[in-house]
mmCIF file of all heavy atoms in Angstrom:
data_model
loop_
_atom_site.group_PDB
_atom_site.id
_atom_site.type_symbol
_atom_site.label_atom_id
_atom_site.label_comp_id
_atom_site.label_asym_id
_atom_site.label_seq_id
_atom_site.Cartn_x
_atom_site.Cartn_y
_atom_site.Cartn_z
ATOM 1 N N ARG D 1 2.729 80.260 -12.228
ATOM 2 C CA ARG D 1 2.497 80.400 -13.666
ATOM 3 C C ARG D 1 3.814 80.316 -14.432
ATOM 4 O O ARG D 1 3.901 79.643 -15.466
ATOM 5 C CB ARG D 1 1.809 81.740 -13.946
ATOM 6 C CG ARG D 1 1.488 81.946 -15.428
ATOM 7 C CD ARG D 1 1.235 83.394 -15.767
ATOM 8 N NE ARG D 1 2.468 84.143 -15.551
ATOM 9 C CZ ARG D 1 2.516 85.387 -15.078
ATOM 10 N NH1 ARG D 1 1.426 86.032 -14.750
ATOM 11 N NH2 ARG D 1 3.685 85.996 -14.924
ATOM 12 N N ASP D 2 4.849 80.976 -13.915
ATOM 13 C CA ASP D 2 6.150 80.965 -14.592
ATOM 14 C C ASP D 2 6.743 79.556 -14.644
ATOM 15 O O ASP D 2 7.354 79.174 -15.644
ATOM 16 C CB ASP D 2 7.116 81.922 -13.905
ATOM 17 C CG ASP D 2 6.745 83.387 -14.117
ATOM 18 O OD1 ASP D 2 5.861 83.678 -14.963
ATOM 19 O OD2 ASP D 2 7.326 84.243 -13.430
ATOM 20 N N ILE D 3 6.572 78.781 -13.584
ATOM 21 C CA ILE D 3 7.071 77.398 -13.564
ATOM 22 C C ILE D 3 6.346 76.563 -14.612
ATOM 23 O O ILE D 3 6.966 75.838 -15.397
ATOM 24 C CB ILE D 3 6.923 76.777 -12.162
ATOM 25 C CG1 ILE D 3 7.883 77.466 -11.178
ATOM 26 C CG2 ILE D 3 7.163 75.256 -12.201
ATOM 27 C CD1 ILE D 3 7.650 77.106 -9.717
ATOM 28 N N VAL D 4 5.024 76.677 -14.653
ATOM 29 C CA VAL D 4 4.242 75.902 -15.622
ATOM 30 C C VAL D 4 4.591 76.317 -17.050
ATOM 31 O O VAL D 4 4.801 75.460 -17.918
ATOM 32 C CB VAL D 4 2.726 76.057 -15.346
ATOM 33 C CG1 VAL D 4 1.897 75.455 -16.473
ATOM 34 C CG2 VAL D 4 2.364 75.417 -14.008
ATOM 35 N N ARG D 5 4.711 77.610 -17.295
ATOM 36 C CA ARG D 5 5.054 78.089 -18.647
ATOM 37 C C ARG D 5 6.437 77.609 -19.065
ATOM 38 O O ARG D 5 6.639 77.194 -20.210
ATOM 39 C CB ARG D 5 5.007 79.613 -18.701
ATOM 40 C CG ARG D 5 3.605 80.155 -18.791
ATOM 41 C CD ARG D 5 3.634 81.657 -18.957
ATOM 42 N NE ARG D 5 2.282 82.184 -19.045
ATOM 43 C CZ ARG D 5 1.998 83.473 -18.984
ATOM 44 N NH1 ARG D 5 2.959 84.363 -18.827
ATOM 45 N NH2 ARG D 5 0.754 83.884 -19.065
ATOM 46 N N TYR D 6 7.396 77.685 -18.146
ATOM 47 C CA TYR D 6 8.754 77.234 -18.466
ATOM 48 C C TYR D 6 8.730 75.750 -18.836
ATOM 49 O O TYR D 6 9.326 75.330 -19.834
ATOM 50 C CB TYR D 6 9.703 77.477 -17.281
ATOM 51 C CG TYR D 6 11.112 77.053 -17.603
ATOM 52 C CD1 TYR D 6 11.995 77.939 -18.209
ATOM 53 C CD2 TYR D 6 11.557 75.755 -17.343
ATOM 54 C CE1 TYR D 6 13.282 77.548 -18.543
ATOM 55 C CE2 TYR D 6 12.841 75.364 -17.669
ATOM 56 C CZ TYR D 6 13.697 76.254 -18.276
ATOM 57 O OH TYR D 6 14.964 75.860 -18.608
ATOM 58 N N ARG D 7 8.016 74.970 -18.042
ATOM 59 C CA ARG D 7 7.923 73.524 -18.260
ATOM 60 C C ARG D 7 7.260 73.219 -19.604
ATOM 61 O O ARG D 7 7.701 72.335 -20.340
ATOM 62 C CB ARG D 7 7.098 72.958 -17.106
ATOM 63 C CG ARG D 7 6.989 71.485 -17.031
ATOM 64 C CD ARG D 7 6.218 71.088 -15.798
ATOM 65 N NE ARG D 7 4.806 71.410 -15.922
ATOM 66 C CZ ARG D 7 3.973 71.562 -14.893
ATOM 67 N NH1 ARG D 7 4.411 71.436 -13.667
ATOM 68 N NH2 ARG D 7 2.713 71.834 -15.088
ATOM 69 N N GLU D 8 6.196 73.961 -19.944
ATOM 70 C CA GLU D 8 5.504 73.738 -21.215
ATOM 71 C C GLU D 8 6.396 74.071 -22.404
ATOM 72 O O GLU D 8 6.352 73.398 -23.429
ATOM 73 C CB GLU D 8 4.224 74.585 -21.270
ATOM 74 C CG GLU D 8 3.142 74.077 -20.350
ATOM 75 C CD GLU D 8 1.958 75.035 -20.234
ATOM 76 O OE1 GLU D 8 2.055 76.201 -20.696
ATOM 77 O OE2 GLU D 8 0.943 74.615 -19.657
ATOM 78 N N LYS D 9 7.230 75.091 -22.249
ATOM 79 C CA LYS D 9 8.088 75.534 -23.347
ATOM 80 C C LYS D 9 9.353 74.687 -23.474
ATOM 81 O O LYS D 9 9.821 74.417 -24.578
ATOM 82 C CB LYS D 9 8.470 76.998 -23.127
ATOM 83 C CG LYS D 9 9.274 77.595 -24.247
ATOM 84 C CD LYS D 9 9.544 79.067 -24.005
ATOM 85 C CE LYS D 9 10.376 79.644 -25.133
ATOM 86 N NZ LYS D 9 10.724 81.052 -24.892
ATOM 87 N N ASN D 10 9.921 74.260 -22.340
ATOM 88 C CA ASN D 10 11.239 73.622 -22.338
ATOM 89 C C ASN D 10 11.239 72.144 -21.963
ATOM 90 O O ASN D 10 12.288 71.527 -21.937
ATOM 91 C CB ASN D 10 12.169 74.375 -21.377
ATOM 92 C CG ASN D 10 12.345 75.812 -21.796
ATOM 93 O OD1 ASN D 10 12.995 76.094 -22.780
ATOM 94 N ND2 ASN D 10 11.731 76.725 -21.059
ATOM 95 N N GLY D 11 10.095 71.608 -21.628
ATOM 96 C CA GLY D 11 10.039 70.207 -21.221
ATOM 97 C C GLY D 11 10.250 70.061 -19.721
ATOM 98 O O GLY D 11 10.402 71.053 -19.002
ATOM 99 N N PRO D 12 10.272 68.816 -19.254
ATOM 100 C CA PRO D 12 10.347 68.572 -17.809
ATOM 101 C C PRO D 12 11.671 69.007 -17.194
ATOM 102 O O PRO D 12 12.703 69.043 -17.875
ATOM 103 C CB PRO D 12 10.156 67.061 -17.693
ATOM 104 C CG PRO D 12 10.522 66.507 -19.020
ATOM 105 C CD PRO D 12 10.229 67.581 -20.023
ATOM 106 N N PHE D 13 11.594 69.329 -15.918
ATOM 107 C CA PHE D 13 12.803 69.623 -15.152
ATOM 108 C C PHE D 13 13.504 68.298 -14.853
ATOM 109 O O PHE D 13 12.862 67.343 -14.421
ATOM 110 C CB PHE D 13 12.447 70.311 -13.828
ATOM 111 C CG PHE D 13 11.856 71.680 -13.995
ATOM 112 C CD1 PHE D 13 10.485 71.860 -14.027
ATOM 113 C CD2 PHE D 13 12.674 72.798 -14.102
ATOM 114 C CE1 PHE D 13 9.928 73.126 -14.171
ATOM 115 C CE2 PHE D 13 12.137 74.067 -14.250
ATOM 116 C CZ PHE D 13 10.756 74.234 -14.284
ATOM 117 N N ARG D 14 14.798 68.228 -15.090
ATOM 118 C CA ARG D 14 15.545 67.009 -14.774
ATOM 119 C C ARG D 14 15.905 66.956 -13.301
ATOM 120 O O ARG D 14 15.974 65.890 -12.704
ATOM 121 C CB ARG D 14 16.804 66.925 -15.633
ATOM 122 C CG ARG D 14 16.509 66.683 -17.105
ATOM 123 C CD ARG D 14 17.766 66.547 -17.935
ATOM 124 N NE ARG D 14 18.675 67.675 -17.797
ATOM 125 C CZ ARG D 14 18.606 68.807 -18.509
ATOM 126 N NH1 ARG D 14 17.665 68.950 -19.401
ATOM 127 N NH2 ARG D 14 19.475 69.779 -18.312
ATOM 128 N N ARG D 15 16.177 68.149 -12.731
ATOM 129 C CA ARG D 15 16.534 68.238 -11.311
ATOM 130 C C ARG D 15 15.786 69.413 -10.700
ATOM 131 O O ARG D 15 15.539 70.406 -11.383
ATOM 132 C CB ARG D 15 18.044 68.463 -11.159
ATOM 133 C CG ARG D 15 18.874 67.322 -11.709
ATOM 134 C CD ARG D 15 20.389 67.550 -11.680
ATOM 135 N NE ARG D 15 20.827 68.485 -10.668
ATOM 136 C CZ ARG D 15 21.595 69.555 -10.914
ATOM 137 N NH1 ARG D 15 21.997 69.824 -12.146
ATOM 138 N NH2 ARG D 15 21.975 70.343 -9.935
ATOM 139 N N VAL D 16 15.491 69.315 -9.427
ATOM 140 C CA VAL D 16 14.795 70.378 -8.707
ATOM 141 C C VAL D 16 15.583 71.688 -8.805
ATOM 142 O O VAL D 16 15.014 72.774 -8.916
ATOM 143 C CB VAL D 16 14.566 69.959 -7.235
ATOM 144 C CG1 VAL D 16 14.096 71.118 -6.396
ATOM 145 C CG2 VAL D 16 13.582 68.802 -7.166
ATOM 146 N N GLU D 17 16.915 71.600 -8.820
ATOM 147 C CA GLU D 17 17.771 72.788 -8.869
ATOM 148 C C GLU D 17 17.535 73.636 -10.119
ATOM 149 O O GLU D 17 17.857 74.823 -10.135
ATOM 150 C CB GLU D 17 19.255 72.386 -8.783
ATOM 151 C CG GLU D 17 19.670 71.860 -7.436
ATOM 152 C CD GLU D 17 19.221 70.417 -7.149
ATOM 153 O OE1 GLU D 17 18.796 69.707 -8.085
ATOM 154 O OE2 GLU D 17 19.283 70.022 -5.988
ATOM 155 N N GLU D 18 16.972 73.040 -11.162
ATOM 156 C CA GLU D 18 16.691 73.794 -12.388
ATOM 157 C C GLU D 18 15.638 74.879 -12.149
ATOM 158 O O GLU D 18 15.506 75.795 -12.959
ATOM 159 C CB GLU D 18 16.252 72.855 -13.508
ATOM 160 C CG GLU D 18 17.369 71.982 -14.016
ATOM 161 C CD GLU D 18 16.913 71.022 -15.099
ATOM 162 O OE1 GLU D 18 15.908 71.297 -15.781
ATOM 163 O OE2 GLU D 18 17.566 69.978 -15.256
ATOM 164 N N LEU D 19 14.909 74.801 -11.054
ATOM 165 C CA LEU D 19 13.928 75.842 -10.733
ATOM 166 C C LEU D 19 14.605 77.198 -10.516
ATOM 167 O O LEU D 19 13.948 78.236 -10.587
ATOM 168 C CB LEU D 19 13.119 75.462 -9.486
ATOM 169 C CG LEU D 19 12.092 74.354 -9.682
ATOM 170 C CD1 LEU D 19 11.523 73.933 -8.340
ATOM 171 C CD2 LEU D 19 10.979 74.809 -10.611
ATOM 172 N N LEU D 20 15.902 77.201 -10.265
ATOM 173 C CA LEU D 20 16.630 78.463 -10.081
ATOM 174 C C LEU D 20 16.574 79.328 -11.345
ATOM 175 O O LEU D 20 16.819 80.532 -11.283
ATOM 176 C CB LEU D 20 18.083 78.195 -9.686
ATOM 177 C CG LEU D 20 18.281 77.579 -8.299
ATOM 178 C CD1 LEU D 20 19.719 77.142 -8.106
ATOM 179 C CD2 LEU D 20 17.863 78.571 -7.215
ATOM 180 N N ILE D 21 16.229 78.738 -12.464
ATOM 181 C CA ILE D 21 16.085 79.467 -13.725
ATOM 182 C C ILE D 21 14.902 80.439 -13.636
ATOM 183 O O ILE D 21 14.901 81.485 -14.267
ATOM 184 C CB ILE D 21 15.885 78.474 -14.899
ATOM 185 C CG1 ILE D 21 17.154 77.637 -15.109
ATOM 186 C CG2 ILE D 21 15.469 79.184 -16.171
ATOM 187 C CD1 ILE D 21 16.958 76.428 -15.992
ATOM 188 N N ILE D 22 13.903 80.084 -12.834
ATOM 189 C CA ILE D 22 12.676 80.877 -12.725
ATOM 190 C C ILE D 22 12.941 82.148 -11.926
ATOM 191 O O ILE D 22 13.500 82.086 -10.824
ATOM 192 C CB ILE D 22 11.543 80.057 -12.055
ATOM 193 C CG1 ILE D 22 11.334 78.720 -12.768
ATOM 194 C CG2 ILE D 22 10.262 80.862 -11.970
ATOM 195 C CD1 ILE D 22 10.920 78.792 -14.198
ATOM 196 N N LYS D 23 12.540 83.280 -12.476
ATOM 197 C CA LYS D 23 12.728 84.570 -11.806
ATOM 198 C C LYS D 23 12.055 84.545 -10.438
ATOM 199 O O LYS D 23 10.907 84.131 -10.311
ATOM 200 C CB LYS D 23 12.136 85.692 -12.659
ATOM 201 C CG LYS D 23 12.362 87.061 -12.085
ATOM 202 C CD LYS D 23 11.771 88.125 -12.968
ATOM 203 C CE LYS D 23 11.988 89.467 -12.296
ATOM 204 N NZ LYS D 23 11.267 90.526 -12.955
ATOM 205 N N GLY D 24 12.787 84.976 -9.427
ATOM 206 C CA GLY D 24 12.233 85.055 -8.080
ATOM 207 C C GLY D 24 12.555 83.858 -7.201
ATOM 208 O O GLY D 24 12.309 83.883 -6.004
ATOM 209 N N ILE D 25 13.093 82.798 -7.797
ATOM 210 C CA ILE D 25 13.461 81.624 -7.001
ATOM 211 C C ILE D 25 14.959 81.708 -6.693
ATOM 212 O O ILE D 25 15.791 81.576 -7.584
ATOM 213 C CB ILE D 25 13.114 80.304 -7.713
ATOM 214 C CG1 ILE D 25 11.604 80.228 -7.962
ATOM 215 C CG2 ILE D 25 13.586 79.114 -6.877
ATOM 216 C CD1 ILE D 25 11.137 78.967 -8.650
ATOM 217 N N SER D 26 15.245 81.950 -5.434
ATOM 218 C CA SER D 26 16.636 82.061 -4.982
ATOM 219 C C SER D 26 17.111 80.706 -4.458
ATOM 220 O O SER D 26 16.305 79.800 -4.216
ATOM 221 C CB SER D 26 16.734 83.091 -3.859
ATOM 222 O OG SER D 26 15.997 82.631 -2.728
ATOM 223 N N LYS D 27 18.414 80.583 -4.262
ATOM 224 C CA LYS D 27 18.962 79.346 -3.694
ATOM 225 C C LYS D 27 18.373 79.091 -2.304
ATOM 226 O O LYS D 27 18.048 77.960 -1.961
ATOM 227 C CB LYS D 27 20.486 79.428 -3.603
ATOM 228 C CG LYS D 27 21.167 79.330 -4.938
ATOM 229 C CD LYS D 27 22.675 79.390 -4.792
ATOM 230 C CE LYS D 27 23.342 79.333 -6.147
ATOM 231 N NZ LYS D 27 24.803 79.366 -6.039
ATOM 232 N N LYS D 28 18.237 80.157 -1.524
ATOM 233 C CA LYS D 28 17.694 80.023 -0.166
ATOM 234 C C LYS D 28 16.249 79.525 -0.207
ATOM 235 O O LYS D 28 15.870 78.619 0.530
ATOM 236 C CB LYS D 28 17.777 81.376 0.549
ATOM 237 C CG LYS D 28 17.293 81.334 1.972
ATOM 238 C CD LYS D 28 17.449 82.693 2.631
ATOM 239 C CE LYS D 28 16.907 82.653 4.047
ATOM 240 N NZ LYS D 28 16.983 83.961 4.687
ATOM 241 N N ARG D 29 15.443 80.118 -1.079
ATOM 242 C CA ARG D 29 14.038 79.711 -1.201
ATOM 243 C C ARG D 29 13.954 78.260 -1.666
ATOM 244 O O ARG D 29 13.196 77.463 -1.128
ATOM 245 C CB ARG D 29 13.316 80.632 -2.165
ATOM 246 C CG ARG D 29 11.849 80.290 -2.324
ATOM 247 C CD ARG D 29 11.136 81.321 -3.127
ATOM 248 N NE ARG D 29 10.760 82.405 -2.231
ATOM 249 C CZ ARG D 29 10.169 83.511 -2.609
ATOM 250 N NH1 ARG D 29 9.881 83.711 -3.876
ATOM 251 N NH2 ARG D 29 9.847 84.434 -1.742
ATOM 252 N N LEU D 30 14.734 77.910 -2.680
ATOM 253 C CA LEU D 30 14.719 76.545 -3.202
ATOM 254 C C LEU D 30 15.123 75.557 -2.110
ATOM 255 O O LEU D 30 14.517 74.493 -1.976
ATOM 256 C CB LEU D 30 15.645 76.415 -4.412
ATOM 257 C CG LEU D 30 15.686 75.032 -5.049
ATOM 258 C CD1 LEU D 30 14.319 74.616 -5.564
ATOM 259 C CD2 LEU D 30 16.711 75.000 -6.164
ATOM 260 N N GLN D 31 16.118 75.915 -1.316
ATOM 261 C CA GLN D 31 16.567 75.042 -0.225
ATOM 262 C C GLN D 31 15.418 74.768 0.745
ATOM 263 O O GLN D 31 15.249 73.639 1.207
ATOM 264 C CB GLN D 31 17.750 75.690 0.498
ATOM 265 C CG GLN D 31 18.541 74.729 1.352
ATOM 266 C CD GLN D 31 19.166 73.594 0.543
ATOM 267 O OE1 GLN D 31 19.619 73.783 -0.583
ATOM 268 N NE2 GLN D 31 19.182 72.407 1.097
ATOM 269 N N SER D 32 14.617 75.786 1.028
ATOM 270 C CA SER D 32 13.499 75.602 1.970
ATOM 271 C C SER D 32 12.393 74.738 1.373
ATOM 272 O O SER D 32 11.640 74.106 2.097
ATOM 273 C CB SER D 32 12.939 76.954 2.415
ATOM 274 O OG SER D 32 12.214 77.575 1.367
ATOM 275 N N TRP D 33 12.310 74.689 0.045
ATOM 276 C CA TRP D 33 11.281 73.878 -0.618
ATOM 277 C C TRP D 33 11.717 72.450 -0.894
ATOM 278 O O TRP D 33 10.874 71.579 -1.106
ATOM 279 C CB TRP D 33 10.918 74.487 -1.971
ATOM 280 C CG TRP D 33 10.189 75.769 -1.917
ATOM 281 C CD1 TRP D 33 9.499 76.320 -0.864
ATOM 282 C CD2 TRP D 33 10.051 76.692 -2.993
ATOM 283 N NE1 TRP D 33 8.970 77.513 -1.230
ATOM 284 C CE2 TRP D 33 9.289 77.777 -2.530
ATOM 285 C CE3 TRP D 33 10.517 76.715 -4.300
ATOM 286 C CZ2 TRP D 33 8.961 78.859 -3.329
ATOM 287 C CZ3 TRP D 33 10.192 77.790 -5.099
ATOM 288 C CH2 TRP D 33 9.421 78.850 -4.618
#
C-alpha cells in the first residue's frame, strides 16, 4: 500500500533504488528483491 500511495503522490520510480524511501524497505531487503 505504501509503495502504491508513494507512486500515486510522487509519480513513477525512476530507479528501483528509490524504493528505499518507503518505510520498512532496507538496503538488504531491496537487494534480495
Side-chain angles (χ1 to χ4, degrees):
R1 182 198 65 216
D2 290 349
I3 292 170
V4 170
R5 282 185 180 169
Y6 181 88
R7 186 177 71 202
E8 288 171 349
K9 184 176 179 183
N10 299 289
F13 294 95
R14 291 182 305 274
R15 298 175 25 233
V16 169
E17 290 76 13
E18 290 178 24
L19 287 171
L20 292 170
I21 294 166
I22 307 298
K23 184 179 178 190
I25 299 180
S26 64
K27 287 181 182 181
K28 182 178 178 183
R29 181 172 276 177
L30 181 61
Q31 197 61 37
S32 72
W33 291 342

